[in-house]
Amino acid sequence: MKKVLVIDDELSIRLLLREIIEDLYIEVSEAETAIVGLQMIEKQNFDLIIMDIQMPQMNGLDAMRKLRELTDAPVFILTAFSHLEEVVENLGVEIQGFVEKPFDIDELAQKIKKQVE
């Protein structure tokens, strides 16, 4: 079974993403901080990682640098800021896409399905 890791400090976003992903018959794990998410990535493999940028303790941009040392799994960045795409590209960190908040549930479901197939 395919596995997706959702890293977001907002419980409501994690629960919504869990519902969307489970409806696709994909296993979901959740982390409330980037630090917890990186610890999970050290212990298991994921087929896709969906991560928020604005989080306490360690923001998503710093987490992306460390994440790439641990895995080459595809990453979708959750953001409310459209200009972050350029920032991430300038960091030289490879991601598979951006998901702008608020997001269209059906569109996101299709992106996730396509990425893990």
Side-chain angles (χ1 to χ4, degrees):
M1 179 177 259
K2 299 290 185 174
K3 294 190 293 186
V4 173
L5 174 61
V6 174
I7 306 172
D8 197 307
D9 60 316
E10 291 183 51
L11 177 60
S12 61
I13 296 292
R14 290 196 317 270
L15 292 175
L16 177 59
L17 289 171
R18 172 174 287 284
E19 185 176 325
I20 292 167
I21 296 165
E22 285 180 340
D23 283 350
L24 297 171
Y25 302 101
I26 298 170
E27 184 180 326
V28 183
S29 296
E30 300 174 30
E32 64 278 358
T33 68
I35 293 169
V36 171
L38 290 169
Q39 291 169 345
M40 293 173 75
I41 292 165
E42 287 178 338
K43 295 176 183 168
Q44 58 184 308
N45 294 320
F46 294 94
D47 298 293
L48 175 64
I49 299 164
I50 301 173
M51 182 169 58
D52 190 15
I53 286 291
Q54 287 191 291
M55 292 184 285
Q57 298 175 355
M58 176 188 289
N59 69 45
L61 296 177
D62 292 336
M64 280 298 299
R65 289 186 200 101
K66 294 185 184 296
L67 184 145
R68 283 297 170 226
E69 295 172 9
L70 301 172
T71 182
D72 60 354
V75 176
F76 286 166
I77 296 292
L78 287 173
T79 181
F81 305 103
S82 59
H83 71 279
L84 277 178
E85 186 170 353
E86 292 174 21
V87 173
V88 172
E89 287 175 3
N90 289 335
L91 290 173
V93 178
E94 182 183 339
I95 62 160
Q96 279 54 55
F98 285 85
V99 178
E100 287 191 44
K101 296 178 184 177
F103 49 82
D104 179 278
I105 292 173
D106 294 330
E107 182 180 321
L108 179 57
Q110 288 303 314
K111 284 183 178 183
I112 293 168
K113 184 177 178 180
K114 182 178 178 183
Q115 188 61 54
V116 298
E117 286 181 343

